[in-house]
Amino acid sequence: MRLNENLNRLSKSYLFTEIAKRVEEYRISNPDSVLINLGVGDYTLPLCDTVIKEMHKAVDDQSKKETFRGYGPEEGYLFLRNSVKNYYKTKGIDLEADEIFISDGANSDIGNVLELFSSDNPVLVPDPVYPAYVDANIIQGRKISYLDATIENEFLPDPPGEKIPSQIIYICSPNNPTGATYDQKQLQNFVDYALETDSVIMFDAAYEAFVSEEYLPSSIFQIPGAKKCAIEICSFSKIAGFTGVRCGYTVIPKKMTYEGFNINMLYKRRLAARFNGVSYISQVGAGAVFTKSGMTQVSENLDYFRKNAKVLSEALKKKGIFFTGAKNSPYVWFRCPYEMKSWEFFDFFLKKFGIVGTPGVGFGKNGENFFRLSSFGGTEETQLAAQRILQL
Ligand code: PLP
């Protein structure tokens, strides 16, 4: 039996597994130390009331013959696709419900949508960035090139000068880990480049809800021409804490054609072959996020995390440490003090202050000497972390 040899090309240790290992070693040798975990970007507030109430009702639906739901549509229930459509309307974007595919989260769809494209297509990934894009493409055997995101370009690289045809181009905005967020003009450059080169943009909008500066786009479809060349992948994880519930959505416009094929139709066909839909209960909960009370409650949660981000960034500012993010993102990305390397600083920060963060180099080579802190923790522990940063 021959295996998929691409799996052996993945980096040997997943970033968060290595962090967990080091934290565990620290815990064993320092059993009394109180750890502050600002490492993983996981939500720490409970699901909001409106979501919980609707999910309870959905559970009750499953208990009665008349309202029981078995297999649902693989592309998601129409009620949820309509809610997503109305959410996009608030951003000035007109979508049709059948351009929206409900998923069990952005991570799955990052890999799923790739099945639309041949493994011969080259891939362009910003560095540093969320590692799932690289991994998903390695598994499918594609050749990956990188767009350098550095201090010099404020972690927002432009499309390459060279016009390379038929690329799969990733954009993560607001970016994980740097928090850097593209403006209208910068995204227009990518859309123009994709249209010129017959490429496709994979726009990861997982952190769209954190965009707070009004002039910044929170969807690629706010950019003219994007409906011909972009797929948007999004999630209820970061807007509403669905990291455990699991629900997301992917938008594939019907205007998108490659080699004469409508890829919205192809994706629908692929889905029918590979997926039996997201749980009814999760979808009802997700629909509740976009109701009036749901939006009010998730906005309060987002403000809570924004305040945490501000507390961390204020401490860094006071110390004169260079940082990005915090404004339109739950992440604060800063240069390691004392010119330390990312993992060196990770160990130092953990041992000296009991704070767990994420070494920047885990997101790509340009992340070396940088460090990410998440604002998804509690207020108290974030304040404690800020006090400790001031002691640096
Ligand atoms: N995209 C980005 C940029 C992320 O940072 C994450 C998770 O941290 C995801 C996607 C995955 O989201 P989901 O929970 O919907 O799978």
Side-chain angles (χ1 to χ4, degrees):
M1 172 60 74
R2 289 191 57 211
L3 294 177
N4 176 358
E5 59 200 24
N6 295 322
L7 289 170
N8 271 332
R9 299 198 178 110
L10 292 169
S11 64
K12 291 298 164 243
S13 163
Y14 180 60
L15 173 64
F16 292 102
T17 317
E18 178 60 28
I19 292 175
K21 192 179 126 230
R22 292 192 191 207
V23 170
E24 194 46 33
E25 282 164 11
Y26 175 81
R27 262 191 224 282
I28 291 167
S29 40
N30 301 274
D32 300 328
S33 155
V34 181
L35 273 184
I36 300 175
N37 193 343
L38 304 182
V40 188
D42 197 356
Y43 218 81
T44 52
L45 293 173
L47 294 173
C48 69
D49 268 3
T50 301
V51 167
I52 289 293
K53 280 193 187 123
E54 289 306 311
M55 285 175 86
H56 275 299
K57 282 192 215 154
V59 171
D60 288 341
D61 286 347
Q62 298 296 63
S63 72
K64 288 175 241 134
K65 198 164 189 293
E66 312 76 61
T67 48
F68 167 78
R69 310 259 184 150
Y71 290 125
E74 57 269 7
E75 69 275 24
Y77 285 102
L78 187 59
F79 69 79
L80 181 54
R81 288 185 288 124
N82 276 331
S83 300
V84 174
K85 178 178 141 175
N86 293 336
Y87 182 57
Y88 272 77
K89 191 97 189 135
T90 64
K91 301 181 185 215
I93 299 164
D94 286 320
L95 292 180
E96 291 176 39
D98 54 5
E99 294 183 300
I100 299 158
F101 297 91
I102 305 303
S103 71
D104 63 353
N107 216 7
S108 311
D109 266 10
I110 285 167
N112 291 335
V113 290
L114 282 173
E115 286 189 12
L116 282 167
F117 303 102
S118 156
S119 51
D120 295 339
N121 294 305
V123 178
L124 194 57
V125 181
D127 173 347
V129 86
Y130 182 57
Y133 316 143
V134 168
D135 283 355
N137 280 287
I138 288 180
I139 292 171
Q140 295 188 17
R142 289 194 188 81
K143 189 173 169 290
I144 302 170
S145 326
Y146 295 90
L147 269 183
D148 288 324
T150 58
I151 289 187
E152 288 69 38
N153 56 29
E154 296 176 8
F155 294 102
L156 293 169
D158 285 325
E162 196 188 345
K163 303 267 189 266
I164 303 162
S166 311
Q167 292 178 95
I168 299 172
I169 304 170
Y170 284 87
I171 301 177
C172 180
S173 180
N175 179 279
N176 177 10
T178 68
T181 307
Y182 280 110
D183 68 19
Q184 182 91 14
K185 176 148 192 323
Q186 291 166 317
L187 285 183
Q188 187 71 63
N189 289 343
F190 274 98
V191 168
D192 293 346
Y193 181 90
L195 291 172
E196 250 179 87
T197 55
D198 193 36
S199 295
V200 60
I201 293 173
M202 299 288 186
F203 191 83
D204 185 338
Y207 297 96
E208 53 83 33
F210 281 88
V211 175
S212 48
E213 288 175 297
E214 268 177 24
Y215 74 98
L216 292 172
S218 60
S219 164
I220 190 72
F221 301 121
Q222 286 163 325
I223 311 300
K227 279 191 177 172
K228 288 195 184 134
C229 63
I231 290 176
E232 183 154 297
I233 299 171
C234 201
S235 169
F236 291 93
S237 286
K238 312 294 171 166
I239 185 174
F242 274 51
T243 48
V245 175
R246 307 307 301 149
C247 198
Y249 53 91
T250 292
V251 180
I252 307 182
K254 290 203 272 189
K255 280 187 187 159
M256 283 180 84
T257 55
Y258 290 94
E259 296 186 324
F261 289 98
N262 175 319
I263 65 163
N264 174 288
M265 301 276 286
L266 286 183
Y267 194 67
K268 190 162 164 37
R269 179 65 190 89
R270 179 221 165 264
L271 215 55
R274 304 269 262 136
F275 194 47
N276 274 337
V278 177
S279 135
Y280 169 66
I281 299 160
S282 296
Q283 292 193 60
V284 169
V289 170
F290 290 143
T291 59
K292 197 160 177 270
S293 60
M295 282 311 272
T296 307
Q297 291 164 15
V298 296
S299 301
E300 283 164 12
N301 288 356
L302 294 171
D303 281 343
Y304 174 91
F305 297 130
R306 283 192 189 105
K307 278 190 197 129
N308 286 346
K310 193 152 188 326
V311 167
L312 293 171
S313 62
E314 290 292 329
L316 291 165
K317 212 181 278 172
K318 274 198 194 134
K319 292 303 289 180
I321 296 171
F322 174 87
F323 71 93
T324 60
K327 244 194 227 153
N328 300 293
S329 154
Y331 299 121
V332 188
W333 173 253
F334 62 94
R335 188 161 36 197
C336 301
Y338 318 120
E339 298 188 4
M340 281 190 190
K341 297 225 177 259
S342 299
W343 277 111
E344 197 185 348
F345 185 71
F346 174 90
D347 291 330
F348 164 82
F349 215 34
L350 178 61
K351 285 175 193 153
K352 187 159 170 65
F353 296 126
I355 304 176
V356 181
T358 312
V361 73
F363 299 95
K365 74 169 175 20
N366 291 320
E368 185 57 287
N369 298 110
F370 279 85
F371 205 70
R372 189 194 80 175
L373 288 180
S374 159
S375 69
F376 282 122
T379 300
E380 265 178 45
E381 57 180 347
T382 304
Q383 279 168 348
L384 213 55
Q387 282 166 19
R388 295 184 189 176
I389 288 171
L390 291 175
Q391 292 164 27
L392 272 169

